[in-house]
Amino acid sequence: MTMVEPWLARLDAEWLDAVERVERAGQAHPWSRVQLMGALTDVQGSVWGIGEGQRAESGLRGFAVLSRQPFDAELQAITVTPQARRRGLAARLMTALLDEAKEWGSERLLLEVRASNLAALALYRRVGFGDDGVRRGYYPPPAGRGTGAREDALLLSYPLTGHSR
């Protein structure tokens, strides 16, 4: 199988259908179409996409939503389609997000993640995110568990000032 060099690009509203397709394929609790459009058109943030093959909707494999706050940046969402996972695409998205947040002058990049999302936690730890706290019972029960206990969110941050990757 020939490896195709992934491409990275900032996405706008024209990418809504492709972003929605990736979100529905990759998330148990996907954002709504309205939420995705809001992210794609938010002047205080950006949406980065990563894909393989042609730089077109059919090639989009993942995306991430970055929001600019007064002093920090926040990773609001990141997902890669299940069939494109374990290829380093999320790590490449993280690099783009960190670079953009630094360009904004943000002091930290913040995020929250399900306590059970071990693959995401491994990525964040590899990048250098540290623990900031826990939001108890923040997320609905994971898909497939039906009715059960809500799940904790782990709060993580990456210092952007005085820190080099």
Side-chain angles (χ1 to χ4, degrees):
M1 180 169 158
T2 305
M3 292 295 291
V4 176
E5 185 66 23
W7 52 261
L8 264 169
R10 282 189 69 166
L11 306 180
D12 59 23
E14 292 181 17
W15 288 86
L16 177 60
D17 291 337
V19 168
E20 184 178 31
R21 177 184 48 78
V22 170
E23 176 73 354
R24 299 223 179 287
Q27 295 295 328
H29 301 282
W31 283 19
S32 71
R33 187 171 176 86
V34 169
Q35 289 171 306
L36 293 170
M37 179 56 93
L40 288 163
T41 58
D42 184 359
V43 297
Q44 289 299 313
S46 63
V47 179
W48 282 89
I50 193 162
E52 299 172 314
Q54 292 188 9
R55 192 176 293 217
E57 289 188 9
S58 63
L60 188 68
R61 299 293 179 259
F63 72 92
V65 178
L66 186 65
S67 175
R68 188 178 194 167
Q69 308 298 319
F71 300 100
D72 299 313
E74 181 182 356
L75 173 61
Q76 294 186 330
I78 186 169
T79 191
V80 173
T81 59
Q83 59 273 29
R85 291 181 182 158
R86 301 227 173 261
R87 296 186 200 164
L89 300 180
R92 292 189 71 170
L93 278 169
M94 286 300 302
T95 298
L97 300 176
L98 289 167
D99 289 345
E100 182 157 41
K102 283 181 183 179
E103 286 177 22
W104 289 346
S106 299
E107 295 173 7
R108 299 176 300 166
L109 178 56
L110 308 174
L111 65 83
E112 59 193 35
V113 60
R114 277 184 186 270
S116 66
N117 192 341
L118 301 181
L121 278 167
L123 168 66
Y124 302 143
R125 301 267 188 252
R126 233 179 5 260
V127 169
F129 280 82
D131 295 328
D132 285 348
V134 177
R135 283 194 178 118
R136 302 265 177 232
Y138 181 76
Y139 288 109
R145 280 203 211 156
T147 59
R150 294 182 63 86
E151 190 171 357
D152 294 345
L154 303 181
L155 308 175
L156 307 177
S157 67
Y158 181 94
L160 295 167
T161 55
H163 194 282
S164 59
R165 274 186 287 117

